[in-house]
Amino acid sequence: MPEAPKITQKPTDYSLELKNKKTLQFIEDVTSNADEVQRKVLEEILARNAHVEYLQAHGLNGHTDRESFKNIMPVITYEDIQPYVERIANGDMSTILCSKPISEFLTSSGTSGGERKLMPTIEEELGRRSLLYSLLMPVMSQFVPGLDKGKGMYFLFIKSEAKTPGGLVARPVLTSYYKSNHFRDRPYDPYTNYTSPNETILCPDSYQSMYSQMLCGLCQHKEVLRVGAVFASGFIRAIKFLEKHWRTLCNDIRTGTIDSQITDQSVREAVMKILKPDPKLADFIEGECSKSSWQGIITKLWPNTKYVDVIVTGTMSQYIPTLDYYSNGLPLVCTMYASSECYFGVNLNPLCNPSEVSYTLVPTMAYFEFLPVQRNNGVTNSISVPKTLNEKEQQELVDLVDVKLGQEYELVVTTYSGLYRYRVGDVLRVAGFKNKAPQFNFICRKNVVLSIDSDKTDEVELQHAVKNAVNHLLPFDATLAEYTSYADTTTIPGHYVLYWELSLNGTTPIPPSVFEDCCLTIEESLNSVYRQGRVCDKSIGPLEIKIVEPGTFDKLMDYAISLGASINQYKTPRCVKFAPIVELLNSRAVSCYFSPKCPKWFPGHKQWGNMN
Ligand code: AMP
């Protein structure tokens, strides 16, 4: 198998060009030999885990070849391995899924039963994640030269963590990565030279973390060559933060002191190494920020920025117009595609248009299979993927090098940390090939109807939440005739909007407080990632209910049919995205109500109690 490029240890023997060359050669090698690499990856995973309980229970019996694996092992979802995961979480140390010790759980933003999914992981996976990160800048440098001559201003954050009853840490994958030595003690590399000192990224208080990162980014504004965050929503949140706090930030820059709200000592010390009194810079920032229009603010405050590095594929595409506005149309670059289960791939053509982004899956990361999916064409553009697969469907899974151009697939992975034929839940379309390795457009996450940040709300959850809320209407003899929803990202942070058409039988008017209670009940009923976004990260705004005139949903149906929907098969879409439909609904809204407070949220799983 091609060797992963080694990271150089010291700045002195640092040869950037050589390192970039080696990395690009690695990509050439693994993509040219994609099938061979995949065969070896599977063999290695199965050989080292031959004795784990899960593989034995299914009778794989030490086989390491693809054919036996595909014949014997079922294609699964999280619910299938949940009992095994729970045993590990409760402290069972036997080799259940993986022969190597489980080092921690990664808490996915995908949920099961309202709680984050728990992905067991092993120490060595950090190395694989680092490898994927190490590919990004050599690729980028082919298109944008000189990126080693300055810094990246990236807004990176950690989230709260919890302990499982068995004592393992459970936290999001990025929190795990930023807290690891791979990130904290990274050797000098001009490509991981960020304006944010580690201490500011690792600060658990999200306000202090954001404030100090913004302050450091402003102080080093001329050095910044690229800006970004993981997701578009996070970057926009940073700009919004600047809009709110620029006066205090400028005061700090003017005086060379840090605002007293920043109480974390390690953050203060790290920032003080960068912050020097600079009245001229303060004047400049004040001048730009006090203008009535913030169009192009990024290019103004960070004039050497060449691109904005944020994920704008999938649901994040809703943020493209806002990013274009703030950045005056700088390239929006999506560099990678990853998850808690596994880091998948990189974008080899990073300056392409966001709508054309494709990710090349790196064949060394895991063993990949693909389940063909059919699209139900219609107004909702929904995608049909069966929840459980019969034998024939299980046999339809194809290998990495066998996918067909233009076809859509659900991604299925077998990982070094103990997932076997696991359905990730993402739908991808083959857009082309890099040597033998396919490149995929990210199409969508299966079933997700609403998403603002990392929250992913599906139709069933939404239905359940709405059902709970309408109980508040019972005393008024009112029922919900129809509803749909919309992820409104014109507000920052974005928020969920529900359009309700009521049928009113009673005569007592329904007071606003009742609708507000409905909003809150919906929020309380949504999954923990949503509630964390509301409470802790403040990345999602209060949920809104808009009451629409009677007859609105008939109009919606008429409109859908005029666009070609079948009258017999028409179903009210439970989420709308198409602008004219949103306009139609808004034009018929008679009143609107917001959730009056945040729903409840605690770190960790409900079942574990509050461990922090
Ligand atoms: P998590 O496991 O919480 O890290 O979430 C991983 C999921 O985020 C993936 O399965 C995708 O649905 C989504 N995701 C990650 N990277 C991208 C990307 N580049 N474009 C679109 N969606 C992405």
Side-chain angles (χ1 to χ4, degrees):
M1 197 180 305
E3 266 280 293
K6 297 268 181 307
I7 294 169
T8 322
Q9 291 304 318
K10 288 186 236 110
T12 43
D13 63 13
Y14 198 86
S15 161
L16 191 65
E17 216 173 298
L18 186 70
K19 195 186 146 214
N20 285 354
K21 228 173 115 189
K22 271 192 181 164
T23 300
L24 297 175
Q25 189 57 49
F26 168 78
I27 295 173
E28 282 299 325
D29 292 346
V30 293
T31 53
S32 302
N33 302 306
D35 199 41
E36 181 62 6
V37 173
Q38 283 281 279
R39 187 181 62 74
K40 286 191 176 157
V41 166
L42 181 64
E43 250 176 42
E44 196 184 343
I45 294 173
L46 296 182
R48 63 152 89 156
N49 294 316
H51 300 293
V52 306
E53 181 183 327
Y54 181 77
L55 291 184
Q56 288 206 326
H58 283 284
L60 191 60
N61 214 6
H63 289 289
T64 60
D65 61 293
R66 281 190 221 193
E67 208 186 320
S68 312
F69 179 67
K70 284 172 186 265
N71 280 336
I72 295 167
M73 297 306 295
V75 178
I76 57 154
T77 60
Y78 182 74
E79 285 67 30
D80 295 308
I81 49 160
Q82 201 165 11
Y84 297 91
V85 169
E86 276 166 13
R87 276 173 53 203
I88 301 170
N90 287 328
D92 189 334
M93 309 267 279
S94 59
T95 52
I96 296 174
L97 292 171
C98 182
S99 61
K100 301 230 162 145
I102 301 301
S103 51
E104 61 182 309
F105 281 104
L106 302 177
T107 55
S108 154
S109 58
T111 53
S112 171
E115 298 291 325
R116 285 173 176 268
K117 291 176 187 166
L118 293 173
M119 297 296 162
T121 190
I122 54 177
E123 191 67 28
E124 70 171 49
E125 276 296 298
L126 279 166
R128 252 172 231 109
R129 284 175 216 131
S130 293
L131 167 82
L132 200 98
Y133 284 124
S134 77
L135 307 181
L136 306 180
M137 290 306 287
V139 169
M140 197 66 215
S141 301
Q142 298 175 101
F143 303 90
V144 185
L147 290 172
D148 55 317
K149 305 286 186 296
K151 295 192 178 186
M153 180 180 70
Y154 283 80
F155 295 96
L156 306 175
F157 301 93
I158 57 164
K159 290 196 178 183
S160 64
E161 46 191 58
K163 274 226 164 81
T164 67
L168 285 169
V169 173
R171 55 191 175 186
V173 63
L174 291 175
T175 301
S176 157
Y177 187 74
Y178 300 146
K179 286 189 158 185
S180 76
N181 295 344
H182 289 253
F183 181 80
R184 286 155 72 129
D185 304 331
R186 59 192 185 277
Y188 172 78
D189 181 332
Y191 289 154
T192 52
N193 193 2
Y194 302 128
T195 53
S196 300
N198 284 356
E199 292 81 356
T200 62
I201 294 171
L202 296 174
C203 174
D205 179 301
S206 59
Y207 174 84
Q208 295 190 48
S209 177
M210 177 73 95
Y211 187 93
S212 55
Q213 293 194 53
M214 184 60 82
L215 185 55
C216 293
L218 288 168
C219 288
Q220 302 169 80
H221 77 135
K222 289 230 171 95
E223 288 172 70
V224 170
L225 300 183
R226 52 201 166 103
V227 300
V230 178
F231 289 111
S233 52
F235 189 74
I236 290 172
R237 212 158 55 242
I239 301 298
K240 214 59 200 170
F241 184 92
L242 179 62
E243 228 174 303
K244 208 162 158 200
H245 299 286
W246 59 267
R247 286 183 186 80
T248 322
L249 287 157
C250 283
N251 186 50
D252 288 1
I253 295 171
R254 189 178 301 287
T255 57
T257 56
I258 314 171
D259 187 56
S260 59
Q261 280 200 55
I262 308 305
T263 53
D264 184 313
Q265 212 43 44
S266 65
V267 170
R268 291 186 73 90
E269 279 166 25
V271 173
M272 279 319 288
K273 290 185 188 146
I274 293 167
L275 181 66
K276 301 278 171 292
D278 191 344
K280 245 173 97 184
L281 177 60
D283 285 345
F284 165 72
I285 299 169
E286 264 171 14
E288 292 300 343
C289 293
S290 53
K291 287 184 182 154
S292 59
S293 162
W294 269 42
Q295 182 166 8
I297 192 77
I298 294 165
T299 47
K300 289 176 180 158
L301 295 181
W302 295 278
N304 300 316
T305 306
K306 298 198 163 45
Y307 62 90
V308 183
D309 184 349
V310 283
I311 292 176
V312 284
T313 40
T315 54
M316 290 291 149
S317 62
Q318 60 198 344
Y319 295 104
I320 292 174
T322 313
L323 286 171
D324 281 342
Y325 176 82
Y326 286 131
S327 73
N328 252 351
L330 279 175
L332 302 177
V333 169
C334 301
T335 56
M336 63 185 277
Y337 167 43
S339 76
S340 317
E341 292 87 342
C342 175
Y343 277 25
F344 305 119
V346 295
N347 177 1
L348 296 180
N349 186 18
L351 289 188
C352 72
N353 194 293
S355 62
E356 283 158 17
V357 169
S358 69
Y359 300 101
T360 305
L361 299 199
V362 177
T364 54
M365 299 305 290
Y367 174 61
F368 299 112
E369 293 176 274
F370 300 86
L371 173 67
V373 299
Q374 303 305 327
R375 194 185 278 270
N376 295 341
N377 270 320
V379 192
T380 55
N381 231 3
S382 71
I383 282 183
S384 112
V385 190
K387 183 132 180 65
T388 49
L389 304 181
N390 61 34
E391 222 160 86
K392 182 174 163 286
E393 284 160 338
Q394 303 226 14
Q395 269 152 26
E396 281 175 0
L397 264 69
V398 295
D399 276 327
L400 184 69
V401 298
D402 296 328
V403 295
K404 300 275 172 289
L405 190 67
Q407 168 73 49
E408 290 180 1
Y409 299 92
E410 185 187 337
L411 178 60
V412 175
V413 292
T414 297
T415 66
Y416 285 90
S417 47
L419 298 175
Y420 306 93
R421 311 196 87 192
Y422 178 88
R423 296 169 67 175
V424 174
D426 290 343
V427 177
L428 311 174
R429 184 197 299 131
V430 184
F433 288 85
K434 164 73 180 171
N435 297 319
K436 298 276 165 46
Q439 306 183 294
F440 293 95
N441 300 133
F442 181 91
I443 299 302
C444 65
R445 177 121 185 146
K446 236 172 25 186
N447 304 329
V448 167
V449 287
L450 288 167
S451 172
I452 294 289
D453 191 36
S454 51
D455 53 304
K456 299 173 171 70
T457 297
D458 71 30
E459 200 169 313
V460 177
E461 273 184 304
L462 183 66
Q463 169 75 26
H464 167 76
V466 168
K467 195 170 135 243
N468 288 346
V470 293
N471 287 332
H472 293 291
L473 303 180
L474 291 177
F476 300 92
D477 210 3
T479 52
L480 186 63
E482 273 294 7
Y483 76 93
T484 190
S485 65
Y486 173 60
D488 185 350
T489 53
T490 56
T491 59
I492 301 175
H495 69 290
Y496 290 9
V497 179
L498 288 170
Y499 294 94
W500 278 15
E501 183 173 321
L502 299 178
S503 91
L504 300 165
N505 304 314
T507 46
T508 325
I510 306 173
S513 63
V514 170
F515 288 117
E516 288 172 3
D517 288 345
C518 291
C519 293
L520 186 59
T521 300
I522 294 176
E523 295 202 300
E524 296 283 10
S525 310
L526 291 175
N527 64 61
S528 97
V529 181
Y530 174 88
R531 286 178 284 115
Q532 182 174 7
R534 280 280 287 129
V535 175
C536 191
D537 310 336
K538 310 263 184 283
S539 56
I540 307 173
L543 183 138
E544 181 180 8
I545 291 177
K546 289 188 180 180
I547 305 296
V548 294
E549 287 169 16
T552 300
F553 279 80
D554 285 340
K555 286 269 179 281
L556 184 76
M557 179 172 73
D558 294 345
Y559 186 72
I561 288 164
S562 76
L563 292 178
S566 147
I567 200 159
N568 294 321
Q569 289 165 4
Y570 178 80
K571 279 203 317 236
T572 304
R574 289 303 175 216
C575 176
V576 296
K577 294 188 174 75
F578 190 46
I581 292 191
V582 177
E583 268 165 40
L584 184 153
L585 289 164
N586 282 336
S587 70
R588 295 178 159 260
V590 288
S591 55
C592 63
Y593 308 93
F594 288 90
S595 202
K597 58 181 187 186
C598 281
K600 289 187 217 63
W601 175 81
F602 303 103
H605 271 217
K606 214 168 35 202
Q607 307 86 289
W608 305 341
N610 185 7
M611 313 276 305
N612 267 20

